[in-house]
């Protein structure tokens, strides 16, 4: 949305029996946040009041609005997404918390579509209890892709030190090989390169591609995907002037810290990319959905039920997701 004000950022509550509400309380108790954005939290004041009492904090001050047209630019706004007075059960998986997580997400996305939000930061959901006829997806990324009719999207895990994406997202390992094709890798590399330019301001991005098989296939003796898919595609893209290199054996690539030589890395499947990323950046990493016409970020962790309600949750990743949403908006606006 075009506005003379600071960016308006929608914040979904996530599963309210997880750590989402605590993260929101901690972040927006810092009144300095208001200098960089205007937050609009989609959830329930009743839920946050229960967590304020449980966590014994009165720093979090909010302004209840009925809809996004009433946004107060110097306050932390909350929109009610349900009226019922549900009890919180920190650490427990409940159908009600899943239902409310979806109501929060649906309302925030609707306002984003209407141009009443500049970006959305999503708190963690439980992929099982949120499921319903309107949300039959394995995660936020696929939901946003469908809602904004994007041909393809990239789950881009980002921190200062490392930007890494995966070609095959939430797919069982037994199906990864079938999911890896020249067309898919080309699409993911195009999305990554475009995002590095548009969202991160890197004019000539240098990208590394990891191999699928051990030792990147060992010249075809341990799998053919590198020889038949990755090498021909990388060679073709190089000849067209793209700075894309590989395929690299994943273990040695991270052990030698070769990622520091590149602006971003494309891994072949979920754990190949996310294990090294979370080892390096679990407290500061951000999950950014590249390829959308809108900006959506989230922390790089889940609901952390074991920490819920104990005042032990680290808000660093959620805070980084908020800052990154603001930074990407600035970069896109030039």
């Amino acid at each position: 949305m075009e506005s003379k004000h600071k960016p308006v950022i929608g914040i979904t509550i996530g599963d309210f029996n997880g750590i989402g509400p605590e993260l929101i309380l901690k972040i927006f108790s810092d009144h300095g946040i208001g200098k960089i954005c205007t937050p609009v939290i989609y959830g329930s004041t009743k839920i946050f009041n229960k967590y304020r009492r449980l966590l014994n904090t009165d720093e979090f001050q909010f302004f209840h609005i009925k809809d996004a047209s009433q946004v107060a630019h110097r306050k932390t706004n909350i929109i009610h997404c349900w009226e019922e007075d549900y009890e919180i059960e920190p650490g427990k998986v409940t159908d009600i918390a899943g239902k409310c997580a979806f109501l929060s997400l649906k309302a925030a996305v609707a306002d984003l579509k209407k141009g009443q939000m500049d970006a959305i930061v999503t708190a963690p959901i439980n992929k099982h209890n949120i499921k319903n006829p309107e949300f039959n997806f394995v995660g936020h990324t696929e939901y946003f892709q469908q809602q904004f009719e994007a041909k393809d999207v990239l789950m881009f895990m980002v921190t200062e030190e490392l930007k890494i994406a995966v070609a095959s997202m939430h797919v069982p390992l037994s199906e990864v090989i079938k999911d890896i094709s020249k067309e898919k890798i080309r699409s993911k590399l195009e999305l990554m390169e475009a995002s590095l330019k548009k969202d991160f301001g890197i004019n000539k991005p240098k990208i590394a591609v990891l191999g699928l098989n051990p030792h990147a296939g060992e010249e075809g003796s341990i799998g053919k995907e590198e020889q038949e898919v990755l090498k021909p595609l990388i060679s073709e893209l190089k000849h067209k002037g793209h700075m894309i290199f590989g395929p690299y054996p994943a273990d040695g690539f991270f052990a030698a810290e070769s990622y520091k030589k590149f602006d971003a890395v494309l891994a072949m499947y979920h754990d190949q990319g996310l294990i090294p990323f979370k080892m390096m950046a679990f407290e500061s990493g951000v999950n950014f959905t590249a390829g959308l016409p809108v900006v959506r970020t989230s922390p790089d962790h889940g609901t952390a039920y074991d920490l819920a309600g104990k005042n032990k949750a680290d808000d660093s990743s959620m805070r980084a997701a908020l800052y990154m949403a603001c930074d990407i908006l600035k970069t896109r606006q030039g």
Side-chain angles (χ1 to χ4, degrees):
M1 61 184 278
E2 292 295 327
S3 173
K4 63 182 179 181
H5 298 285
K6 301 179 293 293
V8 181
I9 310 294
I11 316 288
T12 65
I13 194 172
D15 186 313
F16 65 61
N17 288 327
I19 60 171
E22 180 181 332
L23 300 179
I24 291 168
L25 282 175
K26 287 180 173 177
I27 291 169
F28 297 108
S29 292
D30 174 1
H31 302 298
I33 293 290
K35 294 177 182 178
I36 65 162
C37 70
T38 296
V40 180
I41 300 164
Y42 289 80
S44 161
T45 57
K46 295 170 185 174
I47 294 294
F48 285 106
N49 279 330
K50 292 176 196 291
Y51 271 101
R52 283 204 303 183
R53 291 192 292 271
L54 178 66
L55 302 174
N56 194 26
T57 177
D58 57 6
E59 292 294 315
F60 178 74
Q61 303 296 323
F62 56 81
F63 181 67
H64 175 224
I65 59 176
K66 290 185 177 179
D67 61 65
S69 66
Q70 300 176 340
V71 164
H73 286 278
R74 300 190 178 196
K75 298 181 183 293
T76 296
N77 304 268
I78 294 185
I79 292 177
H80 280 182
C81 298
W82 61 89
E83 294 301 326
E84 295 86 349
D85 186 9
Y86 295 125
E87 289 303 316
I88 59 172
E89 298 181 77
K92 291 188 178 180
V93 179
T94 68
D95 290 342
I96 290 297
K99 170 190 168 184
C100 292
F102 178 68
L103 291 174
S104 167
L105 178 62
K106 182 179 180 181
V109 166
D111 285 346
L112 185 63
K113 284 181 175 180
K114 288 187 283 188
Q116 292 180 303
M117 296 294 116
D118 291 301
I120 285 182
V121 179
T122 56
I125 57 171
N126 180 316
K127 294 178 175 65
H128 301 289
N129 69 359
I130 195 175
K131 284 205 172 179
N132 64 63
E134 291 183 76
F135 191 100
N136 190 24
F137 302 93
V138 293
H140 277 118
T141 302
E142 292 80 2
Y143 178 73
F144 274 87
Q145 178 178 359
Q146 185 251 15
Q147 285 294 304
F148 290 92
E149 299 178 349
K151 182 180 178 184
D152 195 7
V153 292
L154 190 72
M155 189 171 77
F156 213 171
M157 309 303 290
V158 180
T159 186
E160 287 288 332
E161 298 78 25
L162 174 64
K163 294 178 177 66
I164 190 163
V166 294
S168 182
M169 291 196 296
H170 297 115
V171 173
L173 198 54
S174 60
E175 297 176 19
V176 166
I177 291 177
K178 290 183 287 183
D179 199 41
I180 298 297
S181 67
K182 194 172 181 181
E183 294 72 25
K184 167 159 265 191
I185 303 301
R186 184 195 303 276
S187 176
K188 299 300 182 185
L189 287 170
E190 286 175 351
L191 283 171
M192 179 179 278
E193 188 176 57
S195 179
L196 290 167
K197 292 177 180 179
K198 176 183 177 182
D199 302 319
F200 299 97
I202 301 169
N203 292 326
K204 291 204 73 176
K206 187 178 178 184
I207 297 171
V209 178
L210 301 182
L212 173 67
N213 297 294
H215 306 294
E218 200 82 86
E219 298 301 321
S221 63
I222 315 176
K224 306 292 185 184
E225 288 74 22
E226 287 78 11
Q227 299 293 104
E228 295 176 359
V229 176
L230 299 179
K231 287 185 178 180
L233 176 60
I234 292 167
S235 178
E236 175 191 328
L237 293 172
K238 268 189 183 176
H239 281 116
K240 290 180 178 179
H242 301 278
M243 296 179 70
I244 296 172
F245 304 88
Y248 298 101
D251 54 353
F253 182 84
F254 289 107
E257 298 186 338
S258 299
Y259 61 89
K260 292 182 177 179
K261 302 173 186 176
F262 298 90
D263 295 302
V265 180
L266 181 67
M268 290 299 101
Y269 57 92
H270 187 280
D271 285 12
Q272 185 188 55
L274 268 66
I275 288 174
F277 181 83
K278 291 191 176 186
M279 285 185 70
M280 283 185 261
F282 191 65
E283 292 183 351
S284 60
V286 176
N287 179 355
F288 167 56
T289 307
L292 295 174
V294 296
V295 175
R296 175 260 165 168
T297 63
S298 75
D300 71 347
H301 55 70
T303 53
Y305 289 123
D306 57 320
L307 298 178
K310 298 177 181 176
N311 208 14
K312 293 181 178 179
D314 187 329
D315 67 3
S316 302
S317 182
M318 184 80 171
R319 189 180 291 264
L322 177 65
Y323 291 155
M324 185 170 291
C326 295
D327 288 343
I328 290 171
L329 285 170
K330 279 185 190 174
T331 305
R332 284 191 178 188
Q333 289 164 2

Coordinates of all heavy atoms in Angstrom, one line a residue, residues 179-242:
D179 N 11.1 -35.3 -7.9 CA 10.7 -33.9 -7.8 C 11.8 -33.0 -8.4 O 11.6 -31.8 -8.6 CB 10.4 -33.5 -6.3 CG 9.6 -32.3 -6.2 OD1 8.7 -32.1 -7.0 OD2 10.0 -31.5 -5.3
I180 N 13.0 -33.6 -8.6 CA 14.1 -32.8 -9.2 C 14.1 -32.9 -10.7 O 14.3 -34.0 -11.3 CB 15.4 -33.3 -8.6 CG1 15.4 -33.1 -7.1 CG2 16.6 -32.6 -9.2 CD1 15.4 -31.7 -6.6
S181 N 13.9 -31.8 -11.4 CA 13.9 -31.8 -12.8 C 14.6 -30.5 -13.3 O 14.8 -29.6 -12.5 CB 12.5 -31.8 -13.4 OG 11.8 -30.6 -13.1
K182 N 15.0 -30.5 -14.6 CA 15.7 -29.3 -15.1 C 14.8 -28.1 -15.0 O 15.2 -27.0 -14.7 CB 16.1 -29.6 -16.6 CG 17.0 -28.6 -17.2 CD 17.5 -29.1 -18.5 CE 18.5 -28.1 -19.2 NZ 18.9 -28.6 -20.5
E183 N 13.5 -28.3 -15.3 CA 12.5 -27.2 -15.3 C 12.4 -26.7 -13.9 O 12.3 -25.4 -13.7 CB 11.1 -27.7 -15.8 CG 11.1 -28.1 -17.3 CD 11.8 -29.4 -17.6 OE1 11.9 -30.2 -16.7 OE2 12.3 -29.6 -18.7
K184 N 12.3 -27.5 -12.9 CA 12.1 -27.1 -11.5 C 13.4 -26.3 -11.0 O 13.2 -25.3 -10.4 CB 11.8 -28.3 -10.6 CG 12.0 -27.9 -9.1 CD 11.2 -28.9 -8.2 CE 9.9 -28.4 -7.9 NZ 9.2 -29.1 -6.9
I185 N 14.5 -26.9 -11.3 CA 15.8 -26.2 -10.9 C 15.9 -24.8 -11.5 O 16.3 -23.8 -10.9 CB 17.0 -27.1 -11.1 CG1 16.9 -28.4 -10.4 CG2 18.3 -26.3 -10.6 CD1 16.7 -28.4 -8.9
R186 N 15.6 -24.8 -12.8 CA 15.6 -23.5 -13.6 C 14.7 -22.5 -12.9 O 15.1 -21.3 -12.7 CB 15.3 -23.7 -15.0 CG 15.4 -22.5 -15.9 CD 14.7 -22.6 -17.2 NE 15.1 -23.7 -18.0 CZ 16.2 -23.7 -18.8 NH1 16.9 -22.6 -18.9 NH2 16.5 -24.8 -19.4
S187 N 13.5 -22.9 -12.6 CA 12.5 -22.0 -12.0 C 13.0 -21.5 -10.7 O 12.9 -20.3 -10.4 CB 11.2 -22.7 -11.8 OG 10.2 -21.9 -11.2
K188 N 13.5 -22.4 -9.8 CA 14.0 -22.0 -8.5 C 15.2 -21.0 -8.6 O 15.3 -20.0 -7.9 CB 14.4 -23.2 -7.7 CG 13.3 -24.1 -7.4 CD 12.1 -23.5 -6.6 CE 11.0 -24.5 -6.3 NZ 9.8 -23.9 -5.7
L189 N 16.1 -21.3 -9.6 CA 17.2 -20.4 -9.8 C 16.8 -19.0 -10.3 O 17.3 -18.0 -9.9 CB 18.3 -21.0 -10.7 CG 19.1 -22.2 -10.1 CD1 19.9 -22.9 -11.2 CD2 20.0 -21.7 -9.0
E190 N 15.8 -19.0 -11.2 CA 15.3 -17.7 -11.7 C 14.7 -16.9 -10.5 O 14.9 -15.7 -10.4 CB 14.3 -18.0 -12.8 CG 14.9 -18.4 -14.1 CD 13.9 -18.8 -15.2 OE1 12.6 -18.9 -14.8 OE2 14.3 -19.0 -16.3
L191 N 13.9 -17.6 -9.7 CA 13.3 -16.9 -8.5 C 14.3 -16.4 -7.6 O 14.2 -15.3 -7.1 CB 12.3 -17.9 -7.8 CG 11.0 -18.2 -8.4 CD1 10.3 -19.3 -7.7 CD2 10.1 -17.0 -8.4
M192 N 15.3 -17.2 -7.3 CA 16.4 -16.8 -6.4 C 17.1 -15.6 -6.9 O 17.3 -14.6 -6.2 CB 17.4 -18.0 -6.2 CG 18.5 -17.6 -5.2 SD 19.6 -19.0 -5.0 CE 18.7 -19.9 -3.7
E193 N 17.5 -15.6 -8.2 CA 18.3 -14.5 -8.8 C 17.4 -13.2 -8.8 O 17.9 -12.1 -8.4 CB 18.7 -14.9 -10.2 CG 19.6 -13.8 -10.8 CD 20.1 -14.3 -12.2 OE1 19.2 -14.5 -13.1 OE2 21.3 -14.3 -12.4
A194 N 16.2 -13.4 -9.1 CA 15.3 -12.2 -9.2 C 15.1 -11.6 -7.8 O 15.1 -10.4 -7.6 CB 13.9 -12.6 -9.8
S195 N 14.9 -12.5 -6.8 CA 14.8 -12.0 -5.4 C 16.0 -11.4 -4.9 O 15.9 -10.3 -4.2 CB 14.4 -13.2 -4.5 OG 14.2 -12.8 -3.2
L196 N 17.2 -11.9 -5.2 CA 18.4 -11.3 -4.7 C 18.5 -9.9 -5.2 O 19.0 -9.0 -4.6 CB 19.6 -12.1 -5.1 CG 19.8 -13.5 -4.3 CD1 20.8 -14.4 -5.0 CD2 20.1 -13.3 -2.9
K197 N 18.1 -9.7 -6.5 CA 18.1 -8.3 -7.1 C 17.0 -7.4 -6.5 O 17.3 -6.3 -6.0 CB 18.0 -8.4 -8.6 CG 19.1 -9.1 -9.3 CD 18.9 -9.2 -10.8 CE 20.0 -9.9 -11.5 NZ 19.7 -10.1 -13.0
K198 N 15.8 -7.9 -6.5 CA 14.6 -7.1 -6.2 C 14.5 -6.9 -4.7 O 14.1 -5.8 -4.2 CB 13.4 -7.8 -6.7 CG 12.1 -7.1 -6.4 CD 10.9 -7.9 -6.9 CE 9.6 -7.3 -6.6 NZ 8.4 -8.1 -7.1
D199 N 14.7 -7.9 -3.9 CA 14.5 -7.9 -2.5 C 15.7 -7.6 -1.6 O 15.5 -7.1 -0.5 CB 13.8 -9.2 -2.0 CG 12.6 -9.6 -2.8 OD1 11.8 -8.6 -3.0 OD2 12.4 -10.7 -3.2
F200 N 16.9 -7.9 -2.1 CA 18.1 -7.7 -1.3 C 19.1 -6.7 -2.0 O 20.2 -6.5 -1.4 CB 18.7 -9.0 -1.0 CG 17.8 -9.9 -0.2 CD1 17.0 -10.9 -0.9 CD2 17.7 -9.8 1.1 CE1 16.2 -11.7 -0.2 CE2 16.8 -10.6 1.9 CZ 16.1 -11.6 1.2
G201 N 18.7 -6.2 -3.1 CA 19.6 -5.2 -3.7 C 20.9 -5.6 -4.2 O 21.9 -4.8 -4.3
I202 N 21.1 -6.9 -4.6 CA 22.3 -7.5 -5.1 C 22.3 -7.5 -6.6 O 21.5 -8.3 -7.2 CB 22.6 -8.9 -4.5 CG1 22.6 -8.8 -3.0 CG2 23.9 -9.5 -5.1 CD1 22.6 -10.2 -2.3
N203 N 23.0 -6.6 -7.3 CA 22.8 -6.4 -8.7 C 23.3 -7.6 -9.6 O 22.7 -8.0 -10.6 CB 23.6 -5.2 -9.2 CG 23.0 -3.9 -8.6 OD1 21.7 -3.9 -8.5 ND2 23.8 -2.9 -8.3
K204 N 24.4 -8.2 -9.2 CA 24.9 -9.4 -10.0 C 25.1 -10.6 -9.0 O 26.3 -10.9 -8.6 CB 26.2 -9.0 -10.7 CG 26.0 -8.0 -11.8 CD 27.2 -8.1 -12.8 CE 27.0 -9.4 -13.7 NZ 28.0 -9.4 -14.8
P205 N 24.1 -11.2 -8.6 CA 24.2 -12.3 -7.6 C 25.0 -13.5 -8.1 O 24.9 -13.9 -9.2 CB 22.7 -12.6 -7.3 CG 22.0 -12.2 -8.5 CD 22.7 -11.0 -9.0
K206 N 25.8 -14.0 -7.1 CA 26.6 -15.2 -7.4 C 25.9 -16.4 -6.6 O 25.8 -16.3 -5.4 CB 28.0 -15.0 -6.9 CG 29.0 -16.0 -7.3 CD 30.4 -15.6 -6.8 CE 31.4 -16.8 -7.1 NZ 32.7 -16.4 -6.6
I207 N 25.5 -17.4 -7.3 CA 24.7 -18.5 -6.7 C 25.4 -19.8 -6.8 O 26.0 -20.2 -7.9 CB 23.3 -18.6 -7.4 CG1 22.6 -17.3 -7.2 CG2 22.5 -19.8 -6.9 CD1 21.3 -17.2 -8.0
A208 N 25.4 -20.6 -5.7 CA 26.0 -21.9 -5.7 C 24.8 -22.9 -5.7 O 23.8 -22.8 -5.1 CB 26.8 -22.1 -4.5
V209 N 25.0 -24.0 -6.5 CA 24.0 -25.1 -6.5 C 24.7 -26.4 -5.9 O 25.8 -26.7 -6.2 CB 23.6 -25.4 -8.0 CG1 22.6 -26.6 -8.0 CG2 23.0 -24.2 -8.6
L210 N 23.9 -27.0 -5.0 CA 24.4 -28.2 -4.3 C 24.0 -29.4 -5.1 O 23.0 -29.4 -5.8 CB 23.9 -28.3 -2.9 CG 24.3 -27.2 -1.9 CD1 23.7 -27.5 -0.6 CD2 25.8 -26.9 -1.9
G211 N 24.8 -30.5 -5.1 CA 24.5 -31.7 -5.7 C 23.4 -32.4 -4.9 O 23.2 -32.2 -3.7
L212 N 22.8 -33.4 -5.6 CA 21.7 -34.2 -5.0 C 22.3 -35.4 -4.3 O 21.9 -35.7 -3.1 CB 20.7 -34.6 -6.0 CG 19.6 -35.6 -5.5 CD1 18.7 -34.9 -4.5 CD2 18.8 -36.1 -6.7
N213 N 23.3 -36.0 -4.9 CA 23.8 -37.3 -4.4 C 25.1 -37.0 -3.6 O 25.7 -36.0 -3.7 CB 24.1 -38.2 -5.6 CG 22.9 -38.5 -6.4 OD1 22.0 -39.2 -5.8 ND2 22.8 -38.0 -7.6
P214 N 25.6 -38.1 -2.8 CA 26.8 -38.0 -2.1 C 28.0 -37.6 -3.1 O 28.0 -38.2 -4.3 CB 27.0 -39.4 -1.5 CG 25.6 -39.9 -1.4 CD 24.9 -39.3 -2.5
H215 N 28.9 -36.7 -2.7 CA 30.0 -36.3 -3.6 C 29.5 -35.7 -4.9 O 30.3 -35.8 -5.9 CB 31.0 -37.5 -3.8 CG 31.4 -38.2 -2.6 ND1 32.2 -37.5 -1.6 CD2 31.2 -39.4 -2.1 CE1 32.5 -38.4 -0.6 NE2 31.9 -39.5 -0.9
A216 N 28.3 -35.2 -4.9 CA 27.7 -34.6 -6.1 C 27.8 -35.6 -7.3 O 28.0 -35.3 -8.4 CB 28.4 -33.3 -6.5
G217 N 27.5 -36.9 -6.9 CA 27.4 -37.9 -7.9 C 28.6 -38.6 -8.3 O 28.6 -39.6 -9.0
E218 N 29.8 -38.1 -7.9 CA 31.1 -38.7 -8.3 C 31.1 -39.0 -9.8 O 31.3 -40.2 -10.2 CB 31.3 -39.9 -7.4 CG 32.8 -40.4 -7.3 CD 33.5 -39.6 -6.3 OE1 33.5 -40.0 -5.1 OE2 34.2 -38.6 -6.7
E219 N 30.9 -38.0 -10.6 CA 31.0 -38.2 -12.1 C 30.0 -39.2 -12.6 O 30.3 -40.0 -13.6 CB 32.4 -38.5 -12.5 CG 33.4 -37.4 -12.2 CD 33.0 -36.0 -12.9 OE1 32.6 -36.0 -14.0 OE2 33.2 -35.0 -12.2
G220 N 28.9 -39.4 -11.9 CA 27.9 -40.3 -12.4 C 27.9 -41.7 -11.8 O 27.1 -42.6 -12.0
S221 N 28.9 -42.0 -10.9 CA 29.0 -43.3 -10.3 C 28.1 -43.4 -9.1 O 27.9 -44.6 -8.7 CB 30.5 -43.6 -9.9 OG 31.0 -42.7 -9.0
I222 N 27.7 -42.3 -8.5 CA 26.7 -42.4 -7.4 C 25.5 -41.5 -7.7 O 25.2 -40.5 -7.1 CB 27.4 -41.8 -6.1 CG1 28.8 -42.4 -5.9 CG2 26.5 -42.2 -4.9 CD1 29.5 -41.8 -4.7
G223 N 24.8 -41.9 -8.8 CA 23.6 -41.2 -9.2 C 23.9 -40.4 -10.4 O 25.0 -39.9 -10.7
K224 N 22.8 -40.2 -11.2 CA 23.0 -39.5 -12.5 C 22.4 -38.1 -12.6 O 22.6 -37.4 -13.6 CB 22.2 -40.4 -13.6 CG 22.6 -41.8 -13.6 CD 24.0 -42.0 -14.1 CE 24.4 -43.5 -14.3 NZ 25.8 -43.7 -14.7
E225 N 21.8 -37.6 -11.5 CA 21.1 -36.3 -11.6 C 22.0 -35.2 -11.8 O 21.7 -34.2 -12.6 CB 20.3 -36.1 -10.3 CG 19.1 -37.0 -10.1 CD 19.4 -38.4 -9.8 OE1 20.5 -38.7 -9.2 OE2 18.5 -39.3 -10.1
E226 N 23.2 -35.2 -11.3 CA 24.2 -34.2 -11.5 C 24.6 -34.1 -13.0 O 24.6 -33.0 -13.6 CB 25.5 -34.3 -10.7 CG 25.2 -34.0 -9.2 CD 24.5 -35.2 -8.4 OE1 24.4 -36.3 -9.0 OE2 24.1 -34.9 -7.3
Q227 N 24.9 -35.3 -13.6 CA 25.3 -35.3 -15.0 C 24.2 -35.0 -16.0 O 24.4 -34.3 -17.0 CB 25.8 -36.7 -15.3 CG 27.0 -37.2 -14.5 CD 28.3 -36.4 -14.8 OE1 28.7 -35.5 -14.0 NE2 28.9 -36.7 -15.9
E228 N 23.0 -35.5 -15.6 CA 21.9 -35.4 -16.6 C 21.0 -34.1 -16.4 O 20.4 -33.6 -17.4 CB 21.0 -36.6 -16.5 CG 21.7 -37.9 -16.9 CD 20.8 -39.1 -16.6 OE1 19.7 -39.0 -16.2 OE2 21.3 -40.2 -16.9
V229 N 21.0 -33.5 -15.2 CA 20.1 -32.4 -14.9 C 20.9 -31.1 -14.5 O 20.8 -30.1 -15.2 CB 19.1 -32.7 -13.8 CG1 18.3 -31.5 -13.4 CG2 18.2 -33.9 -14.2
L230 N 21.7 -31.2 -13.5 CA 22.3 -30.1 -12.9 C 23.5 -29.5 -13.8 O 23.5 -28.3 -14.0 CB 22.8 -30.4 -11.5 CG 21.8 -30.8 -10.5 CD1 22.4 -31.1 -9.1 CD2 20.7 -29.7 -10.4
K231 N 24.4 -30.3 -14.2 CA 25.6 -29.7 -14.9 C 25.1 -29.1 -16.2 O 25.6 -28.0 -16.6 CB 26.6 -30.8 -15.1 CG 27.4 -31.1 -13.8 CD 28.5 -32.1 -14.1 CE 29.3 -32.4 -12.8 NZ 30.4 -33.4 -13.0
P232 N 24.3 -29.8 -17.0 CA 23.9 -29.1 -18.3 C 23.1 -27.8 -18.1 O 23.4 -26.9 -18.8 CB 22.9 -30.2 -18.9 CG 23.3 -31.5 -18.3 CD 23.8 -31.2 -16.9
L233 N 22.3 -27.8 -17.1 CA 21.5 -26.5 -16.8 C 22.5 -25.4 -16.3 O 22.4 -24.3 -16.8 CB 20.5 -26.8 -15.7 CG 19.7 -25.6 -15.3 CD1 18.9 -25.0 -16.5 CD2 18.7 -25.9 -14.2
I234 N 23.4 -25.7 -15.4 CA 24.3 -24.7 -14.9 C 25.2 -24.2 -16.1 O 25.4 -23.0 -16.2 CB 25.2 -25.3 -13.8 CG1 24.3 -25.5 -12.5 CG2 26.3 -24.4 -13.4 CD1 25.0 -26.4 -11.5
S235 N 25.6 -25.1 -16.9 CA 26.4 -24.7 -18.1 C 25.6 -23.8 -19.0 O 26.1 -22.7 -19.5 CB 26.9 -25.9 -18.9 OG 27.6 -25.6 -20.0
E236 N 24.4 -24.1 -19.3 CA 23.5 -23.3 -20.1 C 23.3 -21.9 -19.5 O 23.4 -20.9 -20.3 CB 22.2 -24.0 -20.3 CG 21.1 -23.2 -21.0 CD 19.7 -23.8 -20.9 OE1 19.6 -25.1 -20.8 OE2 18.8 -23.1 -20.9
L237 N 23.1 -21.8 -18.2 CA 22.8 -20.5 -17.6 C 24.1 -19.7 -17.5 O 24.0 -18.5 -17.7 CB 22.3 -20.8 -16.2 CG 20.8 -21.4 -16.1 CD1 20.5 -21.7 -14.7 CD2 19.8 -20.4 -16.7
K238 N 25.2 -20.4 -17.3 CA 26.5 -19.6 -17.3 C 26.7 -19.0 -18.7 O 27.2 -17.8 -18.8 CB 27.7 -20.6 -17.0 CG 28.0 -20.7 -15.6 CD 29.3 -21.5 -15.5 CE 29.7 -21.7 -14.1 NZ 30.9 -22.6 -14.0
H239 N 26.5 -19.7 -19.8 CA 26.7 -19.2 -21.1 C 25.8 -18.0 -21.4 O 26.1 -17.2 -22.3 CB 26.5 -20.3 -22.2 CG 27.6 -21.2 -22.3 ND1 27.6 -22.5 -22.0 CD2 28.9 -21.0 -22.7 CE1 28.7 -23.1 -22.2 NE2 29.6 -22.2 -22.6
K240 N 24.7 -17.9 -20.6 CA 23.7 -16.8 -20.8 C 24.1 -15.6 -19.9 O 23.4 -14.6 -19.8 CB 22.3 -17.2 -20.5 CG 21.8 -18.1 -21.6 CD 20.3 -18.6 -21.3 CE 19.8 -19.5 -22.4 NZ 18.4 -19.9 -22.1
G241 N 25.2 -15.7 -19.2 CA 25.7 -14.6 -18.4 C 25.3 -14.7 -16.9 O 25.6 -13.7 -16.2
H242 N 24.7 -15.7 -16.5 CA 24.3 -15.9 -15.1 C 25.5 -16.4 -14.3 O 26.2 -17.3 -14.7 CB 23.1 -16.8 -14.9 CG 21.9 -16.3 -15.7 ND1 21.0 -15.3 -15.2 CD2 21.4 -16.6 -16.9 CE1 20.1 -15.1 -16.1 NE2 20.3 -15.9 -17.1

